[in-house]
Amino acid sequence: REEEARLREIVDKYFYDNWVVHVYAGMTADLSIEWKRFRAAKAALDNVLEVENVKKMHIQNAKLIGQCMAELRAYLTMGILTDSFVLDNRHDLLNCLRKCNIAVRW
């Protein structure tokens, strides 16, 4: 019981929206496959993989892609990405890149 609760906490915290983990250089691990032989881990992940949860995440990701496209269009306007603009706005640019990366990977 304690192991199941601990794994449920880990899955809810780290893998609720990303159960295909990118390891290195294009190598991935699909936790829904890799954890099948571990009863507690599989049970914790099964809660996340319910159809309604996946549908909700799909809709959220579709919205995120639209937001990313709008942000990218604004940044990729001719003449915007000067050296000084990039240095002054590096945090916003990196956040945009992270968001786009998440949307594309999902």
Side-chain angles (χ1 to χ4, degrees):
R1 285 272 164 217
E2 185 180 324
E3 184 180 69
E4 288 176 8
R6 195 173 294 153
L7 278 166
R8 176 71 190 264
E9 184 180 336
I10 290 168
V11 167
D12 288 347
K13 187 173 183 179
Y14 297 107
F15 302 111
Y16 69 95
D17 66 343
N18 189 13
W19 51 89
V20 177
V21 180
H22 298 269
V23 181
Y24 176 75
M27 293 176 53
T28 59
D30 183 344
L31 299 182
S32 66
I33 294 170
E34 299 296 329
W35 287 2
K36 274 188 180 177
R37 60 183 179 236
F38 306 106
R39 187 181 58 78
K42 183 184 177 329
L45 197 59
D46 284 346
N47 291 320
V48 172
L49 294 175
E50 290 178 358
V51 174
E52 284 304 313
N53 291 338
V54 175
K55 282 182 183 178
K56 239 188 282 185
M57 285 186 278
H58 173 70
I59 291 167
Q60 288 173 338
N61 191 60
K63 289 177 186 175
L64 182 61
I65 287 175
Q67 292 169 358
C68 288
M69 293 299 289
E71 274 188 71
L72 287 174
R73 270 191 222 94
Y75 286 132
L76 295 177
T77 303
M78 184 62 77
I80 294 289
L81 289 177
T82 61
D83 290 345
S84 61
F85 180 85
V86 170
L87 289 173
D88 293 342
N89 297 285
R90 65 187 176 273
H91 296 294
D92 292 337
L93 288 167
L94 286 173
N95 285 335
C96 177
L97 288 173
R98 281 187 201 102
K99 226 179 353 180
C100 293
N101 193 20
I102 289 167
V104 169
R105 286 167 127 189
W106 207 92

